[in-house]
Amino acid sequence: MSTSSGARDALNPLDRARVESDPRWAVVQRILASPGFHKSARLSAFLVYVCERTILGRVDEVSEQHVGSHVFERPPDYNASEDNIVRSHARLLRKKLDEYYAEEGRHEAIRIQIPKGAYLPVFGTVSDPVPEVAPEIAPPVRQRPALLRWVGIVFLLVVVGYTLYRWTRPSRPQILVRQFWSQIFSAERPTVVVSSDTALVLFEGYTHSSVTLSEYLSRDFWQKFQPQPDIQGNWISGLRDRPFTNNVDLNFCWRLARQPDIDFRRAVVRPARELGMADLKGANAVLIGARRANPWVELFDQKNNFQGLFTEEIRDYIQNRAPRGSELPVYRWSRVEGATRSYALIEFNRGLTSNEHVLILSGLNTPGTEGAADFLLNQSTLGRFLETITLSDDRVPHFELLLGVDNINVTAPRAEVVAYRVRKD
């Protein structure tokens, strides 16, 4: 049985997998199936919402305001002091939980409690009662105050040391993020960061053509241009002679160089037009843009399941060559009531040989690329994803990640996992 807290606050596939793999979630499911909760949709939604957020560590979302908005469909800015719907249902929820543990849940090893005055659930364990044993009467022992004092000091130091160790030790997601970046930015070989060619995109748009990597390297594509009334020849010459890029690429390079987990000393930033095949031999690479803006991507995404492509009929789109489940074969940019939905790809592939790695970052439009960059450079979101796909702490596998990016009015783009593939090289 899988219960969700509603379409208004549905979890993405990655968070849903994390919740359902937690042993505490099985207890929640049994409670929801009990007679006391089965017929109470509101109390069930209340319990699901607060338990999901607690398991995911998003405790800041477990407040009266959030519960009222997400569970009871109140406006986000409603006045909780005048509307006590959350408080009244919390009292009922505590009563129902007590009834469950008094009846069908009396043998549960994990007990869920909602403390009075709070909404954050507490997951406690219940141990079987230990039979009492008559104490043995031992002969009186003469105490040694000095020895006991030293034993107490040593014990306290051990406890403090262990606590500091737990606080300062990096989590597994943090370890995986460091390993991921160390595979791309390595002390063993240089890394080339390749920005997209904005002039090429303009040329393709005005000439209604697509440029392959072989044409891009030989520079033959400029010959495709035929004089047109609305396009001056010297304008095309300007595109040919100047390797334009864009602010999104430059901002990503700047943020990349400032990441604490990245050693940028052996990295070099190159425009796509100034790159040569010799620059990629024995080097790792970070490619920004899809094929249309950065033809070098064609060299590394031939076998990928997700590919960023372009046609005159469809325009920019992401092709899903082998859809699974509810996945779509094609993902395109769309707009609904002032909100835009775009898509982006983060692809971690092998380089020219098995010793090198290539990271490809591309979006269907500017918000898509920005959302993907935010996801990639956020240790929390990247760490959770890497933890899902990495079976051991030794090496992060190559992968393809499809992101959905929502942008409402002037808010920053927000990316979420839509689908992914883990590659077996």
Side-chain angles (χ1 to χ4, degrees):
M1 175 180 178
S2 178
T3 304
S4 172
S5 53
R8 181 176 181 179
D9 198 54
L11 300 179
N12 63 52
L14 186 58
D15 285 343
R16 172 58 53 202
R18 290 182 60 206
V19 169
E20 293 181 350
S21 64
D22 194 292
R24 294 172 292 181
W25 186 245
V27 180
V28 176
Q29 296 297 289
R30 288 194 291 273
I31 293 174
L32 297 177
S34 67
F37 283 83
H38 188 67
K39 296 182 180 180
S40 180
R42 283 292 178 88
L43 289 182
S44 296
F46 195 154
L47 181 64
V48 166
Y49 177 83
V50 296
C51 288
E52 281 179 345
R53 268 49 186 185
T54 302
I55 292 173
L56 292 173
R58 289 154 55 177
V59 297
D60 57 312
E61 298 178 24
V62 184
S63 65
E64 183 175 0
Q65 200 76 24
H66 280 86
V67 174
S69 174
H70 293 288
V71 177
F72 298 100
E73 300 181 352
R74 294 298 193 263
D77 58 347
Y78 87 103
N79 191 339
S81 62
E82 297 178 357
D83 188 341
N84 70 341
I85 187 169
V86 176
R87 296 188 294 276
S88 62
H89 277 77
R91 287 192 293 271
L92 290 174
L93 180 58
R94 296 185 188 102
K95 180 180 178 183
K96 289 292 185 181
L97 286 173
D98 290 340
E99 292 175 356
Y100 172 78
Y101 283 108
E103 298 294 338
E104 53 267 62
R106 60 185 177 276
H107 298 302
E108 290 279 10
I110 297 178
R111 182 179 295 271
I112 303 175
Q113 293 179 313
I114 310 291
K116 291 184 179 180
Y119 306 102
L120 189 68
V122 175
F123 294 87
T125 58
V126 181
S127 302
D128 293 329
V130 180
E132 295 184 0
V133 178
E136 297 182 2
I137 301 176
V141 178
R142 187 176 181 181
Q143 299 294 326
R144 298 180 180 179
L147 178 61
L148 293 177
R149 185 163 53 251
W150 280 109
V151 170
I153 292 174
V154 171
F155 177 76
L156 180 61
L157 290 175
V158 170
V159 171
V160 171
Y162 178 73
T163 303
L164 290 175
Y165 167 73
R166 291 293 301 272
W167 283 353
T168 58
R169 183 184 63 174
S171 64
R172 185 166 185 263
Q174 291 174 325
I175 293 173
L176 291 175
V177 168
R178 293 175 185 174
Q179 290 180 346
F180 171 70
W181 287 120
S182 69
Q183 289 173 230
I184 303 171
F185 294 90
S186 169
E188 299 175 358
R189 57 181 53 86
T191 301
V192 185
V193 182
V194 185
S195 62
S196 60
D197 191 339
T198 303
L200 174 65
V201 177
L202 294 174
F203 173 84
E204 290 172 317
Y206 277 100
T207 59
H208 304 286
S209 61
S210 296
V211 177
T212 65
L213 178 60
S214 60
E215 292 173 330
Y216 191 68
L217 293 177
S218 64
R219 302 294 187 262
D220 289 343
F221 66 92
W222 298 110
Q223 307 303 321
K224 293 183 178 182
F225 173 69
Q226 299 295 330
Q228 299 180 37
D230 58 337
I231 305 177
Q232 298 181 358
N234 60 353
W235 189 81
I236 293 295
S237 299
L239 296 180
R240 180 187 60 201
D241 298 336
R242 297 178 178 85
F244 295 103
T245 189
N246 58 75
N247 288 333
V248 175
D249 290 21
L250 296 178
N251 182 58
F252 174 69
C253 292
W254 180 79
R255 293 174 63 191
L256 199 63
R258 293 173 59 87
Q259 288 295 301
D261 296 321
I262 295 178
D263 185 354
F264 215 72
R265 288 175 296 180
R266 297 203 65 189
V268 60
V269 179
R270 290 275 182 85
R273 202 182 301 182
E274 295 182 2
L275 191 71
M277 189 66 72
D279 297 317
L280 296 174
K281 292 181 179 180
N284 295 328
V286 178
L287 305 180
I288 311 173
R291 290 187 186 184
R292 187 169 181 237
N294 194 336
W296 290 101
V297 173
E298 181 186 335
L299 192 63
F300 301 102
D301 76 343
Q302 295 286 345
K303 297 182 179 180
N304 285 7
N305 178 70
F306 301 108
Q307 293 180 332
L309 303 175
F310 174 87
T311 65
E312 285 294 328
E313 296 77 17
I314 305 179
R315 310 300 292 175
D316 292 286
Y317 68 99
I318 292 176
Q319 180 182 24
N320 183 359
R321 299 167 72 177
R324 297 176 181 174
S326 60
E327 295 176 359
L328 302 176
V330 172
Y331 291 88
R332 300 174 59 188
W333 174 91
S334 62
R335 180 189 294 273
V336 179
E337 297 181 355
T340 62
R341 176 73 168 181
S342 186
Y343 295 92
L345 291 175
I346 298 175
E347 299 173 297
F348 182 42
N349 297 345
R350 63 176 293 178
L352 295 180
T353 72
S354 59
N355 296 322
E356 293 95 42
H357 304 281
V358 174
L359 177 65
I360 303 172
L361 176 76
S362 62
L364 294 182
N365 52 16
T366 297
T369 304
E370 290 178 336
D374 290 342
F375 184 98
L376 187 65
L377 298 179
N378 185 301
Q379 190 178 75
S380 177
T381 56
L382 178 61
R384 287 200 300 267
F385 171 71
L386 296 180
E387 187 178 28
T388 301
I389 67 170
T390 306
L391 299 179
S392 68
D393 289 336
D394 297 331
R395 197 172 186 83
V396 175
H398 291 143
F399 62 84
E400 304 171 44
L401 174 59
L402 172 63
L403 298 171
V405 182
D406 294 322
N407 188 22
I408 303 176
N409 297 327
V410 295
T411 60
R414 184 174 182 269
E416 64 176 7
V417 176
V418 174
Y420 64 87
R421 302 287 189 272
V422 178
R423 304 191 57 177
K424 299 179 180 179
D425 296 324

